Structure formats: C-alpha cells, structure tokens
Amino acid sequence: MEQTFIMIKPDGVQRGLVGEIIGRFEKKGFSLKGLKFLNVDQAFAEKHYADLSSKPFFNGLVEYIISGPVVAMVWEGKNVVTTGRKIIGATNPADSAPGTIRGDFAIDIGRNVIHGSDAVESARKEIGLWFPEGVANWSSSLQPWIYE
Ligand code: UDP
Ligand code: MG
C-alpha cells in the first residue's frame, strides 16, 4: 500500500492545528503508520529540502522549519501521495482552494503550515530520512469499510 510523508510545520504546531490536521487524514480513511514530535537541526532541514538548495527562499525555509517542533508522520492508503497533496492544497495559500488545509489555515507561502511528499519516490526518500527506524506494522480493521 502507498505511503506518504506528512509534516506539520512549526507554525501549524504553534497555532494548535495538530489535531485538526491529523483528523482530516484520519477521517479521509488513511492509516497513520508513523508519528513523532521533534525539533530538527539545520543540517537535517537542509537534507530534507536538498532539492531546493539553489532557491532564493532556501535559507528562510530552513530557518522556518527549525524554528520550533514539528509533527512528522507517515500516512498510508490508496493514492495517498496525490490525494494527500490535494488535502494540503497549493503551495501558495493565496492559490489554495478553501477546504484544503492551506486554503483554510494559511495566508503566506512561507508560513503554509504543512509539508507533504510530491511523488511516490520522494515519499520513499523522506520516510527513510525521518523514520530510519521504520514505522508501525498494523492494518486498520475498518479497511473493508473503506476499500471495496
Ligand atoms: N516556499 C517559500 N517560497 C516560495 C516557494 C516555496 O517559502 O516561493 C516554501 C514553502 O513553505 C513550501 C516549501 O518552501 O511549502 C517547499 O517548496 P515546494 O515547492 O516543495 O512546495 P510544497 O511541496 O511544500 O507545496
Ligand atoms: Mg515540495
């Protein structure tokens, strides 16, 4: 089953959106496979965002991600990478549709509350980086009520 890496950024934590965000993924029917609450350091944040290292906003992005604790999660389900991105909404909250997390809870692109992997391959890399110890092994007993 497909997995994605989701991170509630420091602004999402500070603003008390942790329960709301987890609830949206849970209620959709996806399964929580990994969860931790932690601070990351600069080197780790730079590794997570390595693909963006040449961007003008890179240093500010790293500062933002290390500015407080984050909630790192692995969610599992059919098409969870693509659907997770839809639940999150467009990168710039000015373009995120109402009903998405960024559309409902964010205004500025540099304070957009949440990260989600953009492809199955980046999800695999990000899960390996954030959860080198692996994730929980379980399957929800609700599965037959969610999948036909
Ligand atoms: N970002 C920014 N300014 C920009 C573009 C991106 O501050 O002009 C930040 C924003 O927090 C975004 C993150 O960099 O979520 C990663 O950028 P990416 O293009 O990967 O967007 P995402 O995949 O998070 O939607
Ligand atoms: Mg991205």
Side-chain angles (χ1 to χ4, degrees):
M1 191 71 102
E2 191 170 295
Q3 295 183 338
T4 194
F5 174 69
I6 300 291
M7 173 190 40
I8 306 174
K9 295 175 177 179
D11 51 335
V13 171
Q14 290 285 357
R15 293 178 54 202
L17 296 173
V18 172
E20 169 76 33
I21 289 171
I22 290 176
R24 289 187 178 207
F25 282 85
E26 260 187 332
K27 281 179 261 184
K28 173 68 175 172
F30 292 135
S31 289
L32 183 62
K33 302 290 287 198
L35 173 73
K36 55 173 107 169
F37 185 53
L38 74 170
N39 292 84
V40 296
D41 64 18
Q42 185 179 333
F44 189 93
E46 287 175 352
K47 206 165 175 189
H48 171 74
Y49 280 122
D51 291 351
L52 300 174
S53 60
S54 63
K55 303 284 186 192
F57 58 84
F58 182 71
N59 289 342
L61 174 59
V62 169
E63 284 301 311
Y64 164 42
I65 295 306
I66 68 174
S67 65
V70 299
V71 178
M73 295 176 280
V74 176
W75 285 90
E76 185 176 276
K78 187 177 181 179
N79 285 324
V80 69
V81 172
T82 300
T83 304
R85 294 279 294 190
K86 288 182 184 162
I87 290 170
I88 288 171
T91 302
N92 188 341
D95 303 323
S96 317
T100 67
I101 291 167
R102 287 167 174 167
D104 287 349
F105 303 122
I107 293 175
D108 270 353
I109 192 167
R111 296 289 183 274
N112 62 0
V113 168
I114 183 167
H115 165 85
S117 308
D118 62 7
V120 172
E121 179 54 23
S122 48
R124 194 191 57 74
K125 270 168 59 181
E126 291 170 2
I127 291 167
L129 176 66
W130 288 80
F131 291 87
E133 69 280 15
V135 297
N137 179 24
W138 76 297
S139 64
S140 167
S141 56
L142 292 180
Q143 211 120 325
W145 298 105
I146 294 168
Y147 296 99
E148 66 177 15

